[in-house]
Amino acid sequence: MTSPEASRRARTAVLATCGLYAAYGLLALVPGLAMVRGAALVAAFYFLPGWLLRDEPEVQARYQVGPEGPIPPWSWRAVRWAVGACLLVFPPFVLGFWWFYDQVCAGDLRVLTPALWVEQQTPWAGGLEHYLERLCRGHSGEFWPTSLRLPATWTAYGGLGFVFQVVEGLFAVALAEEVFHRGYLMSALEERFPPRRRIFGAQIGVAAVLSSLLFAVGHLVGMAQAARLATFFPALVFAWLWRRSGNLWAPALFHMSANLLMELLLASTFRA
């Protein structure tokens, strides 16, 4: 039976997530606040969970959102799990990426039928097709990229741009999002909906699905495109890594690596 405290924490976590994204969306209506609202969102990801659990240091420690600070404890075990996940997931993902755009940029949108139908029910109907049309103008028409092209942001400042992308991608994006969505939100939901299945060695349940869904919907606030809901699927991998490794650095490092890989694939597959 779920305790009242667990139900309260889960309810608070869901309301905090919805409220945070609502505030982020409303700030977009104020001109000149783009950088400020981005920094505020990152700060909230790191510090809001610890503040909401300020009277429960043992829960903070269990969720890895405190009590000493918002950065999770470092773990080499987490690094090994992140590297293993990259080696396992990235090769088929890269092939799937090339196959997908080979089909779509040739005009075959059948693979997108479900996504296009969903988008037609929203105010953003046609947005995905317009996005793909612009993107595919730079496609070579070949399955394999004609050459490996590094993103311009990587080669800026004599190559130091890549270092900046790694640091920013880890601390301002991946780790911040993992602390909030997996460390806080998913953990709170798991106490309300305890996982009952073991998948590849990790206890995963409805909480992982719900937190991944909220994670994906939150991405619509920054850019209202139905394709961004696809972040639901990597979020499930992040959730699995969190539970399998027992440390938030594992999904954070995998998350950052996946974002960098996507940047490289887009730069190599499409001409600017």
Side-chain angles (χ1 to χ4, degrees):
M1 183 175 178
T2 306
S3 69
E5 291 78 12
S7 296
R8 174 186 55 78
R9 281 194 290 266
R11 183 170 57 253
T12 300
V14 171
L15 291 174
T17 303
C18 295
L20 188 56
Y21 279 118
Y24 181 71
L26 289 173
L27 284 175
L29 303 176
V30 183
L33 288 185
M35 291 189 64
V36 173
R37 75 183 188 119
L41 183 66
V42 172
F45 281 161
Y46 276 123
F47 294 103
L48 184 58
W51 183 79
L52 291 171
L53 298 169
R54 59 192 179 280
D55 297 324
E56 301 176 283
E58 73 287 350
V59 177
Q60 290 178 329
R62 192 163 67 246
Y63 292 3
Q64 293 188 13
V65 298
E68 288 78 16
I71 303 299
W74 178 255
S75 166
W76 286 108
R77 170 183 165 86
V79 176
R80 291 193 294 271
W81 275 106
V83 171
C86 290
L87 293 174
L88 183 66
V89 173
F90 285 179
F93 174 79
V94 170
L95 291 175
F97 178 95
W98 287 334
W99 173 85
F100 174 82
Y101 282 107
D102 184 58
Q103 300 295 309
V104 168
C105 291
D108 185 355
L109 300 182
R110 287 177 296 178
V111 68
L112 286 171
T113 299
L116 292 173
W117 181 87
V118 170
E119 193 180 56
Q120 289 299 320
Q121 318 309 313
T122 72
W124 311 294
L128 179 56
E129 290 174 282
H130 292 314
Y131 167 76
L132 291 172
E133 181 183 356
R134 292 194 305 271
L135 186 64
C136 287
R137 290 172 189 163
H139 193 266
S140 66
E142 303 290 335
F143 181 87
W144 309 99
T146 55
S147 63
L148 178 67
R149 289 188 291 270
L150 299 180
T153 52
W154 292 17
T155 57
Y157 311 111
L160 290 178
F162 177 72
V163 176
F164 176 78
Q165 289 297 110
V166 170
V167 173
E168 181 186 47
L170 180 58
F171 292 101
V173 180
L175 186 60
E177 291 182 353
E178 295 310 309
V179 165
F180 188 86
H181 295 91
R182 254 58 66 181
Y184 175 55
L185 176 62
M186 177 178 158
S187 297
L189 286 171
E190 279 184 334
E191 293 191 354
R192 176 62 181 84
F193 307 104
R196 305 189 185 282
R197 290 191 177 184
R198 196 170 186 84
I199 301 176
F200 299 119
Q203 291 291 127
I204 294 292
V206 112
V209 175
L210 290 176
S211 59
S212 297
L213 182 60
L214 286 170
F215 176 77
V217 171
H219 278 69
L220 292 177
V221 180
M223 186 183 297
Q225 289 182 350
R228 290 176 69 80
L229 292 174
T231 52
F232 169 79
F233 299 103
L236 292 176
V237 180
F238 305 155
W240 183 86
L241 275 170
W242 165 219
R243 280 297 160 244
R244 189 65 181 85
S245 69
N247 188 278
L248 286 172
W249 279 103
L253 290 168
F254 179 81
H255 188 160
M256 176 204 67
S257 301
N259 287 346
L260 291 174
L261 174 64
M262 181 62 76
E263 290 179 14
L264 181 61
L265 286 173
L266 288 171
S268 297
T269 306
F270 302 98
R271 295 185 300 273

